[in-house]
């Protein structure tokens, strides 16, 4: 194809940047198009990075407030949210250096800024200029999904895109949505000093996670002062002189509450509409994501999709993983398919809730016969030393191997990867039980749970008889 670039990448988040970096350094003619004024994507500017920086500041405030429980006398003044947000911005700026356009231009990538839309299957238009490509990678991410609440448009509501611009700590904060974003930010603002009401329409927070552990986390948030309203719908919103009024409906009837600020965290929707996908013959799923096969190809085999706009998991680490699949298929022309067997996800509350492999619901839907092994965090020596008691590990075991793991614990996101490797590589549970774990660590909960699984058979009457026989026969 004459005057066509080897690869055109639409979207400068993690998936697009990883793909562009490799393709550029391999000598391909690459164009990278980003509609925002900076590279890095939603994760860097409005998601993972700023939220974790905010959560860290909130954890410090919480630790100071409870220092006396650890024998330390300390006083905590009121939170200077402006200073906290300055730190959040400094973290973003530091990481942004890795995503400097000059770095990618140094790899030979033609970096352009502007909205891209397909004109046909081989061409996109950016700021009125046509860009032709032999192959395309769509990595346009996702945006906050705003629920159809009557009157919501009349209030100055927040999403995770602009919450980090807030400079004054709201005394009364409503968080609509009990998913990962809502749950993390609800706890963070509560620890910083806001009176937080977390409103969730379903029966529990974090509906994709194991119900028992989500319920434990919900109870923990209540203990920290979050007013958790489950099975509660927001039926209306309107402005008042101090902020906003929300109309709520629950089993105990309707209620109207006043808040200084309202944060909407009701999920995300793929950024695909502005691409003019019909012009390229692309198919869109009901949730707004692009239809792709296991090689991440759309219906047009030369057009690939990656990350939130392709699904099925809206995680930065998933976009990075999928970038490897596309690099294999689109650049090296080596057929490679996605494998979602051991995908970890983490909600970064304190304690954090991490999951890898199958949940019980997924295992039941697959018709698998499995057993469970559980161990409470409160029985782990390191947790006792750290003053942590809320948490538990649940393992799903099928034919002697772990097929799913759910962990509620501090730093659960750091610990869960051992179990992810065990699932991916089909490591027998007995290997985990026999593995040496450093003492005292929170990761010992894995060894303890595996040991608890084998304990009934180890100390069974049959084993006891066998041991007595051995000691009678052998000197």
């Amino acid at each position: 194809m004459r005057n066509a670039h080897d690869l055109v990448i639409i979207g400068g988040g993690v998936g697009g940047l990883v793909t562009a970096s490799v393709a550029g350094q391999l000598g391909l003619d690459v164009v990278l198009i980003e509609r925002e004024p900076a590279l890095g994507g939603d994760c860097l500017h409005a998601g993972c990075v700023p939220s974790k920086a905010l959560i860290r500041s909130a954890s410090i405030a919480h630790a100071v407030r409870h220092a006396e429980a650890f024998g330390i006398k300390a006083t905590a003044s009121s939170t200077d949210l402006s200073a906290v947000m300055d730190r959040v911005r400094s973290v973003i700026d530091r990481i942004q250096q890795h995503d400097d356009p000059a770095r990618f231009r140094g790899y030979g990538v033609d970096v352009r800024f502007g909205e891209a839309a397909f004109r046909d299957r081989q061409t996109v238009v950016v700021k009125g200029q046509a860009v032709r490509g032999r192959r395309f990678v769509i990595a346009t991410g996702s945006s906050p999904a705003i629920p159809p609440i009557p009157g919501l448009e009349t209030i100055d509501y927040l999403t995770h895109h602009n919450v980090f611009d807030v400079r004054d700590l709201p005394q009364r904060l409503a968080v609509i949505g009990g998913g990962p974003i809502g749950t993390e930010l609800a706890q963070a603002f509560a620890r910083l000093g806001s009176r937080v009401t977390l409103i969730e329409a379903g029966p529990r927070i974090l509906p994709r996670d194991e119900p028992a552990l989500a319920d434990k986390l919900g109870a923990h948030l209540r203990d920290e002062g979050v007013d958790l309203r489950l099975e509660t719908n927001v039926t209306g919103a309107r402005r008042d002189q101090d902020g906003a009024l929300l109309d709520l409906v629950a089993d105990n009837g309707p209620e109207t509450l006043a808040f200084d600020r309202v944060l909407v965290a009701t999920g995300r929707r793929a950024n695909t509409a502005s691409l003019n996908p019909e012009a390229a013959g692309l198919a869109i799923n009901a949730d707004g994501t692009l239809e792709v096969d296991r090689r991440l190809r759309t219906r047009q085999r030369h057009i690939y999709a990656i990350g939130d706009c392709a699904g099925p998991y809206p995680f930065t680490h998933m976009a990075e993983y999928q970038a490897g699949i596309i690099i294999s298929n689109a650049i090296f022309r080596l057929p490679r398919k996605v494998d979602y067997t051991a995908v970890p996800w983490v909600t970064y509350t304190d304690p954090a809730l991490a999951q890898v492999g199958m949940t019980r619901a997924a295992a039941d839907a697959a018709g698998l016969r499995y057993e469970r092994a559980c161990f409470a965090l409160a029985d782990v020596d390191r947790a006792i030393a750290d003053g942590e008691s809320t948490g538990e590990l649940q393992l799903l075991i099928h034919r002697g191997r772990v097929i799913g793991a759910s962990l509620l614990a501090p730093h659960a996101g750091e610990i869960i990867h051992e179990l992810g490797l065990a699932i991916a590589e089909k490591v027998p549970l007995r290997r985990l039980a026999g593995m040496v774990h450093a003492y005292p660590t929170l990761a010992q909960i894995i060894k303890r749970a595996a040991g608890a699984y084998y304990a009934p058979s180890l100390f069974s009457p049959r084993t006891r008889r066998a041991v007595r026989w051995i000691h009678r026969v052998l000197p």
Side-chain angles (χ1 to χ4, degrees), residues 242-365:
D242 296 320
L245 297 174
L246 294 184
D247 297 323
L248 310 180
V249 173
D251 287 343
N252 57 355
E255 183 179 12
T256 299
L257 297 179
F259 300 96
D260 299 301
R261 300 305 300 263
V262 175
L263 171 64
V264 177
T266 49
R268 303 175 60 79
R269 189 165 182 84
N271 296 327
T272 54
S274 63
L275 286 169
N276 192 23
E278 297 83 4
L282 306 180
I284 305 294
N285 296 313
D287 62 358
T289 58
L290 291 160
E291 181 183 292
V292 295
D293 62 15
R294 292 187 60 195
R295 291 172 60 182
L296 300 178
R297 301 174 301 184
T298 65
R299 286 189 177 180
Q300 305 298 329
R301 293 296 190 245
H302 68 290
I303 302 177
Y304 297 77
I306 185 175
D308 290 11
C309 68
Y313 298 100
F315 310 139
T316 298
H317 51 280
M318 177 51 55
E320 185 175 12
Y321 164 74
Q322 290 176 333
I325 301 296
I326 285 182
I327 288 167
S328 179
N329 284 291
I331 298 176
F332 288 104
R333 314 292 177 84
L334 298 174
R336 185 181 170 198
K337 297 179 180 179
V338 293
D339 181 359
Y340 299 136
T341 303
V343 176
W345 69 78
V346 186
T347 299
Y348 295 91
T349 47
D350 183 18
L353 182 53
Q355 168 71 38
V356 67
M358 286 186 163
T359 60
R360 292 182 68 186
D364 289 340

Side-chain angles (χ1 to χ4, degrees), residues 151-164:
L152 185 63
E153 72 283 354
T154 67
I155 68 174
D156 186 21
Y157 65 86
L158 301 168
T159 69
H160 72 275
H161 272 198
N162 60 358
V163 69
F164 303 107

